[in-house]
Amino acid sequence: MFKKIVYGFLLILLALSVYLYISVKQPYGIIALGFVLAGLLSLALLKIKWLKVGLVVVFSSVGLYAVTEGCYFMLETNFKRKKFNIETAVHFEKNSFKDALAKSKKENKYIFVDFYTGWCTPCLHMVQHVFTDDQVGDAMNETFVNLKYDAEKGEGVELAKRYNVRGYPTCLVLDSEGNVVEKVGGNLVPRKDDLIAIPKNINVIDCYITA
């Protein structure tokens, strides 16, 4: 009876681990999966009772901890995601990337792309305190077709892979063909002054191209 209860507990953890592995772009799922499978194998294969009990307790405990942390992370991220959907001074397009490229070409504008994730605190700070600034909005709306993508949702997943996005926030300036012209802020989180200065930098680039 006790063995069946343990099996049932581990199978529930296994199902949650698989769900986390599929749903969360963080290592919680794969860590939990590894320890839960190790626990199931220990329960099924080991013959020495004290060793079996010890390993099952250790593996299932670590698996449970990873699942708990993963579920908490997922719920917190989903809650934070809602905070990104606020009105900003920078006008971000709602259309697809393909449509943005077409608009960029038609209006002779560059494209500004902000890649973020729901769990990224500096990304949220940018949305709430930088993109809401009127000076930033005036500078960027005049020069760019502006886009923002959650790199773990929808079209943002493929675009983040395409542009080899590794950290967040990552802000890129693209031409109308989708080629990278500039990475804004380098490896630092872009500030208000960085964003206001982008149009000036773009004008310099245009001068070099024209020359």
Side-chain angles (χ1 to χ4, degrees):
M1 182 67 180
F2 177 75
K3 190 174 182 179
K4 289 182 179 179
I5 293 173
V6 175
Y7 262 125
F9 174 70
L10 286 172
L11 288 174
I12 292 171
L13 283 183
L14 182 65
L16 289 171
S17 301
V18 172
Y19 175 74
L20 286 174
Y21 177 72
I22 295 171
S23 304
V24 179
K25 306 298 181 182
Q26 295 290 323
Y28 298 105
I30 192 66
I31 292 171
L33 199 56
F35 280 100
V36 172
L37 287 174
L40 284 168
L41 288 173
S42 299
L43 190 61
L45 301 178
L46 292 179
K47 302 300 182 184
I48 304 174
K49 189 173 181 180
W50 66 266
L51 181 60
K52 175 190 292 191
V53 171
L55 288 177
V56 168
V57 168
V58 171
F59 291 143
S60 60
S61 297
V62 177
L64 177 61
Y65 177 77
V67 165
T68 303
E69 288 295 307
C71 289
Y72 175 77
F73 175 85
M74 182 175 65
L75 291 172
E76 185 181 36
T77 300
N78 288 335
F79 174 75
K80 282 185 177 180
R81 248 184 207 111
K82 298 175 183 178
K83 296 183 178 182
F84 285 83
N85 298 321
I86 63 172
E87 193 71 28
T88 58
V90 178
H91 172 70
F92 289 101
E93 300 289 327
K94 303 297 183 183
N95 297 326
S96 68
F97 185 67
K98 183 179 178 181
D99 290 337
L101 289 175
K103 183 173 182 178
S104 167
K105 189 171 293 187
K106 181 180 178 181
E107 297 184 2
N108 195 29
K109 287 183 174 182
Y110 286 93
I111 297 173
F112 173 86
V113 189
D114 169 40
F115 288 100
Y116 70 95
T117 62
W119 46 265
C120 171
T121 300
C123 301
L124 184 59
H125 176 83
M126 279 189 66
V127 170
Q128 293 179 330
H129 301 287
V130 180
F131 292 143
T132 52
D133 186 275
D134 289 335
Q135 286 181 286
V136 173
D138 290 341
M140 295 188 65
N141 294 335
E142 184 178 350
T143 308
F144 300 111
V145 174
N146 297 295
L147 301 170
K148 65 175 180 177
Y149 290 103
D150 185 331
E152 296 181 346
K153 301 281 284 186
E155 193 176 16
V157 176
E158 288 304 316
L159 287 171
K161 289 180 182 176
R162 173 176 173 177
Y163 290 105
N164 197 30
V165 175
R166 299 292 185 183
Y168 306 98
T170 291
C171 298
L172 304 176
V173 174
L174 312 176
D175 63 21
S176 59
E177 300 298 324
N179 302 308
V180 177
V181 176
E182 183 178 353
K183 182 176 181 181
V184 183
N187 293 320
L188 302 175
V189 177
R191 300 165 301 174
K192 171 184 171 180
D193 293 341
D194 295 323
L195 297 182
I196 293 174
I198 303 176
K200 299 175 184 177
N201 296 337
I202 292 300
N203 288 333
V204 171
I205 292 171
D206 282 339
C207 287
Y208 279 117
I209 293 173
T210 304

